Amino acid sequence: MKTKNLRKAIALGISSMVMTGLLTSTVAFAAPVAGQQYTTFTSTGSVAEGIKAGNATITINDNGYNSKAKYTAYKVLDAQVSGTVYKYTPEAKFASLFTGTYSLTEGGSIKKGSTEITSNSADAKEFAQAVEKVVKEQGVAGTVFNVNTAQTLAPGYYVIVQTGSDSADAWVPSLPILVDLPQKSGDNYIYNTKVDPKGGYPDVTKKIIENNNPFDQNDVSINQHVQYQVTSDVTKYSTNATGITYKIVDTLSKGLTYDDNVAITAGEKPLTKNTDYTVATTTDTKGNTVITFDFKYDSIKDADKVVLNYSATLNEDAVIGEGGNPNDINLVYTNNSNTISTSTTTAETDSPQVRTYTYGIAVKKVDQNDKTALAGAQFGIYKNVACTEAYTSGKLETVTASNGYQQFIGLDAGTYYIQEIAAPSGYVKSDKVLEVKIEGLDKDGNVTTENDKLTGQAKYTIKVVGEKESEISFIVKNDAAGNGTVTAVNGTSLTNEYNLDKLGLAVVGNVKGVELPRTGGAGTWMFTIGGLVLMAGAVTAVAVTKKKEEN
């Protein structure tokens, strides 16, 4: 059984931001969202010259995606020669930016409060958003020019964005360019700047949202909700293009149930179901749920991005442990408005995947003397050591079966307490409480609480409450064949005191039990740990393996 690798996250990169003829930066103009990429551009020019009066030029090179792109340059700061440097002052329509949150020093540095805005900072992103807001609210007219054309501009600090194209091909605005003209180079300046922009292809991202933070993976219990956010670039076309397809297709694995609660915005505009978009759900041959969000293009064409927020519930078909419960997203869009042909992002390259893990434990009731499995025992699982707050999430069995096992499947990482509620006929109920701690592991086998480091592997620490010497720890993970295995932690002895192989559970191996003695009554009983504690390699190994292969 093979586990599908998660797509590697793309690192965030913002080049140094220049306000006063220092270095050059690119910052995305749109508000940052989960998965947003910020990339640098490269800039070249002729030999640097000493400072001089007169204009500069900028050329936006064809990035190989749209040879007919049109750009608009918005001048935020004016630059005038002052000795051997330029002195910067705000343009009238952008002056309001520097009367509250932001200030401009005499040397040209921009500050937010008392802090100078630096590269790779949240402040730099926020400043770009503030510029965009002024452009939209005040209808600032910029200078429009074509790709591969040297455009003459007065010295100053500019925000340059792609605003059009003469091509019938779909296009997405390249990431906005924040640049000072002329470019500072040592003690001199470059007056003819050339820029290679980044971006151009539509991007779709999906994130799991927990506590308002985005993640690529998480762990939860069965019956708990997983909140998602999808962000997708809106493709652009030449004027009067018709018949445009724009769909976002989400594939939920069998262990996830769509909650049918999507909320969608295009830019800042809330969209209405069945007016601006439709939602259709189908089930594929593997039992996965396929959700298609089909947009009316006229409802989204003026926005840079659409953002979808919705949730799914982890259900009883969830895969336990490694492999987890993946979720893919794809964008289907018209790639040429003349031919009306479509392109689809693919799982191997562009389609982001998020993944939810869950875990499981079990207890086994046996006769202490002859190790016979006992049916009819009832155990409860609780949130507190007093065993007064029952745990209700997950797939929770209520009684031991004929093989002696009672399973608690689909649990989040955390600490649980298990106590016998009723004993089998002829046996005395124990008043002992078992504490079970489940901790997620990273790829190096270390305990982690960071969602994006989870692997589905888990460390289990089990002890009888009040009996420290009873504690035992072990790790549950898949072997190369995808079968569940149990490994002792820190030299803990897993002896033949109780051998799960004797139950035909060869995929688990020999596991030591925690004995809970009783005085009086009909005898003693034992908790056996490992094996079904993870549900990936004991009596349900075949079923779980099949689920992983199908997903």
Side-chain angles (χ1 to χ4, degrees):
M1 174 180 9
K2 297 182 179 179
T3 311
K4 189 174 181 181
N5 293 326
L6 290 174
R7 192 178 75 157
K8 294 182 179 179
I10 300 176
L12 220 62
I14 308 177
S15 63
S16 299
M17 189 172 189
V18 176
M19 307 303 172
T20 63
L22 299 178
L23 297 175
T24 311
S25 74
T26 301
V27 179
F29 214 24
V33 293
Q36 179 81 40
Q37 298 176 39
Y38 292 88
T39 60
T40 62
F41 64 79
T42 58
S43 177
T44 60
S46 63
V47 177
E49 308 173 55
I51 193 168
K52 63 181 182 181
N55 295 330
T57 65
I58 186 168
T59 303
I60 310 296
N61 295 328
D62 178 11
N63 64 0
Y65 178 75
N66 191 343
S67 61
K68 297 183 179 181
K70 292 182 176 295
Y71 292 86
T72 302
Y74 299 98
K75 188 179 181 184
V76 179
L77 302 177
D78 180 58
Q80 297 292 328
V81 174
S82 178
T84 59
V85 297
Y86 282 97
K87 181 178 180 180
Y88 288 81
T89 56
E91 286 288 306
K93 287 192 175 182
F94 293 100
S96 60
L97 289 176
F98 305 99
T99 59
T101 303
Y102 301 101
S103 61
L104 180 65
T105 68
E106 186 174 342
S109 296
I110 293 179
K111 290 185 174 183
K112 180 182 179 183
S114 60
T115 304
E116 184 174 339
I117 294 179
T118 60
S119 63
N120 302 314
S121 69
D123 290 341
K125 301 174 191 177
E126 290 178 6
F127 180 73
Q129 296 167 43
V131 171
E132 177 189 26
K133 184 178 180 181
V134 172
V135 168
K136 291 182 176 180
E137 290 181 351
Q138 298 196 25
V140 178
T143 301
V144 180
F145 60 102
N146 294 324
V147 68
N148 294 328
T149 301
Q151 177 63 45
T152 299
L153 295 171
Y157 179 74
Y158 289 84
V159 174
I160 302 176
V161 295
Q162 184 178 351
T163 51
S165 174
D166 290 332
S167 172
D169 291 337
W171 57 277
V172 174
S174 57
L175 298 179
I177 300 163
L178 274 66
V179 59
D180 59 323
L181 297 175
Q183 293 271 283
K184 181 73 171 175
S185 178
D187 292 331
N188 295 314
Y189 293 88
I190 295 175
Y191 285 85
N192 59 333
T193 299
K194 295 183 179 181
V195 171
D196 293 316
K198 302 296 183 182
Y201 291 91
D203 183 44
V204 59
T205 63
K206 182 167 188 175
K207 293 291 179 179
I208 294 170
I209 305 298
E210 280 193 0
N211 299 319
N212 296 318
N213 294 313
F215 300 99
D216 291 321
Q217 51 194 32
N218 70 338
D219 51 13
V220 301
S221 296
I222 284 176
N223 298 326
Q224 289 186 337
H225 301 286
V226 182
Q227 184 67 42
Y228 300 109
Q229 183 176 86
V230 175
T231 304
S232 183
D233 292 326
V234 176
T235 48
K236 307 296 182 180
Y237 304 90
S238 57
T239 305
N240 299 322
T242 59
I244 301 301
T245 295
Y246 190 91
K247 300 178 182 180
I248 293 175
V249 182
D250 191 349
T251 303
L252 298 173
S253 58
K254 192 174 180 181
L256 292 162
T257 301
Y258 174 49
D259 291 335
D260 194 16
N261 60 347
V262 69
I264 305 179
T265 57
E268 297 181 358
K269 170 189 173 184
L271 300 185
T272 302
K273 184 177 179 179
N274 297 326
T275 299
D276 302 312
Y277 66 92
T278 59
V279 182
T281 58
T282 59
T283 302
D284 67 14
T285 57
K286 295 180 179 179
N288 301 320
T289 299
V290 181
I291 313 167
T292 302
F293 302 95
D294 191 350
F295 291 84
K296 180 180 178 182
Y297 184 72
D298 282 349
S299 296
I300 63 173
K301 66 181 181 180
D302 293 330
D304 293 329
K305 297 179 183 294
V306 292
V307 178
L308 296 73
N309 287 283
Y310 54 96
S311 64
T313 301
L314 195 68
N315 62 46
E316 294 189 0
D317 288 319
V319 171
I320 309 301
E322 288 185 85
N325 302 274
N327 179 202
D328 298 302
I329 199 81
N330 295 99
L331 173 65
V332 181
Y333 63 96
T334 298
N335 58 34
N336 186 289
S337 59
N338 288 337
T339 62
I340 314 298
S341 57
T342 61
S343 294
T344 304
T345 55
T346 63
E348 291 76 17
T349 55
D350 308 305
S351 178
Q353 184 181 77
V354 294
R355 191 177 299 263
T356 295
Y357 297 106
T358 194
Y359 312 100
I361 61 178
V363 293
K364 182 178 177 66
K365 186 71 170 179
V366 298
D367 182 283
Q368 175 61 28
N369 296 318
D370 61 14
K371 307 300 186 291
T372 300
L374 301 175
Q378 296 180 36
F379 294 93
I381 183 168
Y382 302 90
K383 300 176 182 180
N384 63 330
V385 68
C387 296
T388 57
E389 297 180 37
Y391 190 81
T392 57
S393 294
K395 183 180 179 182
L396 310 178
E397 294 181 351
T398 58
V399 63
T400 57
S402 59
N403 62 6
Y405 281 102
Q406 181 179 336
Q407 304 165 358
F408 304 107
I409 303 171
L411 304 180
D412 197 353
T415 300
Y416 302 89
Y417 300 90
I418 297 174
Q419 186 177 47
E420 188 174 20
I421 299 172
S425 176
Y427 290 82
V428 175
K429 179 176 71 70
S430 172
D431 59 0
K432 299 288 185 178
V433 176
L434 195 68
E435 179 183 289
V436 180
K437 186 176 184 180
I438 306 174
E439 298 173 288
L441 300 180
D442 63 19
K443 62 182 180 62
D444 297 318
N446 299 315
V447 170
T448 183
T449 58
E450 297 182 45
N451 280 355
D452 283 344
K453 291 185 178 181
L454 296 172
T455 61
Q457 299 177 10
K459 176 183 176 183
Y460 291 81
T461 302
I462 302 181
K463 67 180 180 181
V464 179
V465 173
E467 299 180 16
K468 185 176 181 180
E469 67 279 0
S470 67
E471 182 174 302
I472 184 172
S473 297
F474 56 92
I475 288 175
V476 173
K477 61 181 179 180
N478 289 351
D479 62 18
N483 300 315
T485 62
V486 177
T487 306
V489 175
N490 298 328
T492 301
S493 176
L494 299 180
T495 68
N496 290 329
E497 182 176 342
Y498 193 75
N499 188 343
L500 289 179
D501 283 339
K502 294 178 181 178
L503 295 176
L505 306 174
V507 295
V508 177
N510 300 333
V511 181
K512 180 181 177 181
V514 176
E515 188 173 321
L516 306 180
R518 288 287 304 177
T519 57
T524 61
W525 58 273
M526 170 192 293
F527 269 103
T528 299
I529 62 177
L532 281 182
V533 170
L534 91 140
M535 292 305 299
V539 295
T540 58
V542 175
V544 174
T545 298
K546 183 177 180 182
K547 289 179 184 178
K548 289 184 178 180
E549 289 174 345
E550 289 177 345
N551 284 282

